[in-house]
Amino acid sequence: MTSFEHPGAPYDAVVLAGGGARRLGGADKPGVRVGGRALLDRVLAACADAHTTVVVAGPRPTARPVRWAREDPPGAGPVAALDAGLRRTTADDVLVLSADLPFLAAETVRRLRDALRSGGAEGALLTDADGRDQPLVAVYRTAALRRELAVLTAGHGGLTGLPLRRLTAGLDLTRVPDPVASFDCDTWDDIATARARIREHGHVLDEWISAVKDELGIDLEVDTGVLLDLARDAAHGVARPAAPLTTFLVGYAAAQARGGPEAVAEAARKAAALALRWAAEAEAEKAEKAERSEKDTAAGSGGPGPDAG
């Protein structure tokens, strides 16, 4: 997969995915799976609406197409990697991300972009739980980054080995606190923490649905509450196996109609109404059966006994 562009979108994305992962024993960190998805794919999902997405690393299979770049020499550090990625972008704003952010979401990207657009800053970045800047979860004015990269290149004769703080020190930045989205995976303990969190009750359903959509190549936002209510009604009013079968048929019907979330909602509405009618019919039949039983019992006893008085 080589290129993925959304015409008219106002920002590009550069994802740095070529580090050595020394604290992971040299493991392929972007390919480590959290919730069944590679860390890199999770990050790419958060910036799926970027005009151009550039991943700075050796090419690999990804869940969606991207452009590839490589710093020269490979392993020259994050500033050199950012420069290599930036050379393949054209938008006025660029989102800069590391490839090890398991909880990054599209909403976080929107918040960063809103923060940048709402003022005159040259960049907006997340801060972590300890208030530390996270320059690899940020959106920058592309011109400002290029200016500072040129200054560093002139002052140091190149960018190899320079820390990111040298680059960001010359920028006017605004900060957005977010201890969750800024969480990155540097160690196996971090990986374990991420894997445990996504299985918590409050997160597991959304995580599972996102993973399934990625696996199936589906880009569709639907009201999960509607589908869950439908499954409950089908299970209660018809039979327990009716729940998964009904939700499958709703999805199939929406796909046949070539519709989006509205088609899913309409199919779910019709199926839910049917399930409620089915349940009401069963309740009515149950009531009628009970009434007949009472009449049969009364008839079998010969009716009311003689007046004892």
Side-chain angles (χ1 to χ4, degrees):
M1 297 184 179
T2 56
S3 174
F4 186 67
E5 300 184 357
H6 291 271
Y11 79 99
D12 290 337
V14 173
V15 181
L16 307 189
R22 288 184 295 275
R23 284 190 281 176
L24 288 177
D28 174 26
K29 182 160 68 169
V32 171
R33 296 184 180 276
V34 173
R37 291 187 291 166
L39 283 170
L40 176 57
D41 284 336
R42 296 177 73 89
V43 170
L44 292 177
C47 59
D49 62 341
H51 179 271
T52 299
T53 299
V54 182
V55 179
V56 185
R60 68 171 66 223
T62 52
R64 70 173 179 85
V66 298
R67 292 182 176 179
W68 297 96
R70 201 72 169 110
E71 71 274 24
D72 185 18
V79 177
L82 176 54
D83 179 64
L86 203 63
R87 292 176 184 275
R88 289 162 173 77
T89 64
T90 58
D92 290 338
D93 299 337
V94 59
L95 178 72
V96 177
L97 303 169
S98 60
D100 61 351
L101 302 164
F103 306 128
L104 185 70
E107 176 58 30
T108 310
V109 173
R110 286 192 289 270
R111 288 175 57 214
L112 284 169
R113 296 178 60 217
D114 288 345
L116 182 64
R117 287 195 300 264
S118 65
E122 296 174 317
L125 52 73
L126 291 193
T127 56
D128 65 14
D130 297 318
R132 293 173 298 198
D133 287 353
Q134 299 298 310
L136 293 182
V137 201
V139 61
Y140 300 97
R141 304 289 186 191
T142 305
L145 278 184
R146 288 182 172 143
R147 180 195 72 216
E148 293 305 310
L149 287 166
V151 168
L152 289 177
T153 300
H156 296 271
L159 301 174
T160 299
L162 294 181
L164 275 170
R165 64 177 178 274
R166 291 282 186 90
L167 177 64
T168 57
L171 298 173
D172 176 20
L173 301 173
T174 187
R175 290 160 174 84
V176 179
D178 193 327
V180 176
S182 62
F183 180 88
D184 57 2
C185 293
D186 291 326
T187 67
W188 287 113
D189 284 345
D190 294 336
I191 297 291
T193 297
R195 286 172 171 168
R197 186 180 187 277
I198 66 169
R199 286 176 170 78
E200 292 174 358
H201 176 70
H203 308 288
V204 65
L205 185 58
D206 287 342
E207 287 285 349
W208 170 247
I209 290 173
S210 294
V212 171
K213 289 195 295 186
D214 276 1
E215 192 73 15
L216 300 180
I218 299 171
D219 184 16
L220 177 66
E221 294 297 328
V222 297
D223 188 339
T224 56
V226 168
L227 294 178
L228 289 173
D229 287 346
L230 167 61
R232 180 202 62 209
D233 291 340
H236 175 74
V238 183
R240 189 171 297 276
L245 294 172
T246 304
T247 52
F248 163 76
L249 291 171
V250 163
Y252 186 79
Q256 288 291 95
R258 300 184 183 278
E262 298 81 6
V264 175
E266 176 63 13
R269 184 192 65 77
K270 290 180 178 179
L274 175 61
L276 292 176
R277 293 198 304 270
W278 189 292
E281 185 178 298
E283 289 298 320
E285 176 64 23
K286 188 187 299 183
E288 291 174 4
K289 187 175 182 179
E291 185 177 348
R292 287 196 300 269
S293 178
E294 288 179 4
K295 289 180 179 179
D296 290 346
T297 301
S301 65
D307 186 355

